[in-house]
Amino acid sequence: MHGTKGSIAFDYQRLNELRVAFADDAKDAFGWRTVYSGPEQPYGDLLWPVAGMGQGFIDVKSLEWFNFLQAIAGTKDAAPNFRDGLQIERIADAIMKSGQTRVWEKVSQQTA
């Protein structure tokens, strides 16, 4: 995904990596860099004690279920929630419209 402040790339086959590039980086340091998941990310201390250690589908699904069950038990708010989903749809609509109009489109903001 590209924006005015930089770019971000995610490859589902490399779950433990996120590629980022920032528009305001110095020219001699401009370019893509890889951020590795590890013990500093949520639940990372339990699953990935070393940064860059491979993640698998089961790791991701286990965390999703853990968060889902916490929300059902009432110990934690569900996330993402309906408001998050609505905002994602607004963003997707703006992306589609921008592709048709070839201009930047504003994303309406969600209200509290």
Side-chain angles (χ1 to χ4, degrees):
M1 182 179 301
H2 303 287
T4 55
K5 296 188 178 190
S7 301
I8 190 167
F10 175 75
D11 182 347
Y12 195 69
Q13 294 180 357
R14 300 180 74 95
L15 294 173
N16 63 317
E17 297 179 10
L18 188 65
R19 299 197 50 205
V20 295
F22 298 99
D24 60 356
D25 278 346
K27 289 183 182 183
D28 64 339
F30 184 79
W32 290 97
R33 69 189 84 158
T34 303
V35 178
Y36 296 97
S37 62
E40 301 303 317
Q41 276 72 38
Y43 309 111
D45 57 333
L46 303 173
L47 297 170
W48 314 291
V50 177
M53 186 174 170
Q55 293 178 9
F57 182 78
I58 297 299
D59 296 332
V60 174
K61 292 301 165 190
S62 297
L63 294 176
E64 288 174 358
W65 270 104
F66 178 71
N67 288 327
F68 179 68
L69 293 172
Q70 280 187 316
I72 289 174
T75 60
K76 185 177 175 185
D77 290 339
N81 57 32
F82 179 80
R83 288 179 197 260
D84 297 331
L86 177 59
Q87 190 64 15
I88 290 167
E89 283 300 311
R90 289 176 175 148
I91 293 167
D93 287 345
I95 291 169
M96 295 298 290
K97 188 174 179 184
S98 178
Q100 294 169 345
T101 62
R102 302 279 193 207
V103 296
W104 288 102
E105 297 291 337
K106 289 192 180 271
V107 177
S108 61
Q109 298 296 313
Q110 67 184 36
T111 59

Short mmCIF file of all heavy atoms in Angstrom, two decimals, residues 22-31 33:
data_model
loop_
_atom_site.label_atom_id
_atom_site.label_comp_id
_atom_site.label_asym_id
_atom_site.label_seq_id
_atom_site.Cartn_x
_atom_site.Cartn_y
_atom_site.Cartn_z
N PHE A 22 9.57 4.91 4.24
CA PHE A 22 9.03 6.20 4.64
C PHE A 22 9.48 7.29 3.67
O PHE A 22 10.66 7.37 3.31
CB PHE A 22 9.47 6.55 6.06
CG PHE A 22 8.96 5.57 7.08
CD1 PHE A 22 9.78 4.56 7.55
CD2 PHE A 22 7.66 5.63 7.53
CE1 PHE A 22 9.32 3.64 8.48
CE2 PHE A 22 7.18 4.71 8.46
CZ PHE A 22 8.01 3.71 8.93
N ALA A 23 8.55 8.13 3.27
CA ALA A 23 8.83 9.18 2.29
C ALA A 23 9.82 10.21 2.80
O ALA A 23 10.55 10.81 2.02
CB ALA A 23 7.53 9.86 1.87
N ASP A 24 9.88 10.42 4.11
CA ASP A 24 10.76 11.46 4.65
C ASP A 24 12.13 10.93 5.08
O ASP A 24 12.91 11.64 5.72
CB ASP A 24 10.09 12.19 5.81
CG ASP A 24 9.72 11.28 6.97
OD1 ASP A 24 9.92 10.05 6.86
OD2 ASP A 24 9.25 11.80 7.98
N ASP A 25 12.46 9.69 4.71
CA ASP A 25 13.80 9.18 5.00
C ASP A 25 14.85 9.99 4.23
O ASP A 25 14.58 10.49 3.13
CB ASP A 25 13.92 7.71 4.57
CG ASP A 25 13.36 6.76 5.63
OD1 ASP A 25 13.14 7.20 6.77
OD2 ASP A 25 13.14 5.60 5.28
N ALA A 26 16.03 10.07 4.79
CA ALA A 26 17.14 10.73 4.10
C ALA A 26 17.43 10.00 2.79
O ALA A 26 17.26 8.78 2.70
CB ALA A 26 18.39 10.72 4.99
N LYS A 27 17.85 10.74 1.79
CA LYS A 27 18.07 10.14 0.47
C LYS A 27 19.07 8.99 0.51
O LYS A 27 18.92 8.02 -0.22
CB LYS A 27 18.53 11.21 -0.52
CG LYS A 27 17.43 12.16 -0.90
CD LYS A 27 17.90 13.17 -1.93
CE LYS A 27 16.76 14.12 -2.24
NZ LYS A 27 17.09 15.07 -3.27
N ASP A 28 20.07 9.08 1.37
CA ASP A 28 21.07 8.01 1.43
C ASP A 28 20.57 6.78 2.18
O ASP A 28 21.21 5.73 2.17
CB ASP A 28 22.37 8.51 2.05
CG ASP A 28 22.22 8.95 3.49
OD1 ASP A 28 21.08 9.25 3.90
OD2 ASP A 28 23.23 8.99 4.19
N ALA A 29 19.41 6.89 2.83
CA ALA A 29 18.85 5.76 3.56
C ALA A 29 17.46 5.38 3.06
O ALA A 29 16.78 4.55 3.66
CB ALA A 29 18.77 6.10 5.05
N PHE A 30 17.03 6.00 1.95
CA PHE A 30 15.69 5.76 1.43
C PHE A 30 15.58 4.35 0.87
O PHE A 30 16.48 3.85 0.22
CB PHE A 30 15.35 6.78 0.35
CG PHE A 30 13.93 6.65 -0.15
CD1 PHE A 30 12.89 7.16 0.58
CD2 PHE A 30 13.66 5.99 -1.33
CE1 PHE A 30 11.59 7.03 0.15
CE2 PHE A 30 12.37 5.85 -1.78
CZ PHE A 30 11.33 6.37 -1.04
N GLY A 31 14.46 3.72 1.11
CA GLY A 31 14.21 2.40 0.56
C GLY A 31 13.45 1.53 1.54
O GLY A 31 13.07 1.95 2.62
N ARG A 33 12.72 -1.38 4.20
CA ARG A 33 13.35 -2.08 5.31
C ARG A 33 12.36 -3.09 5.85
O ARG A 33 11.15 -2.93 5.68
CB ARG A 33 13.83 -1.12 6.38
CG ARG A 33 12.72 -0.44 7.14
CD ARG A 33 13.28 0.65 8.01
NE ARG A 33 13.41 1.82 7.16
CZ ARG A 33 13.46 3.05 7.57
NH1 ARG A 33 13.47 3.30 8.85
NH2 ARG A 33 13.54 4.05 6.77
#
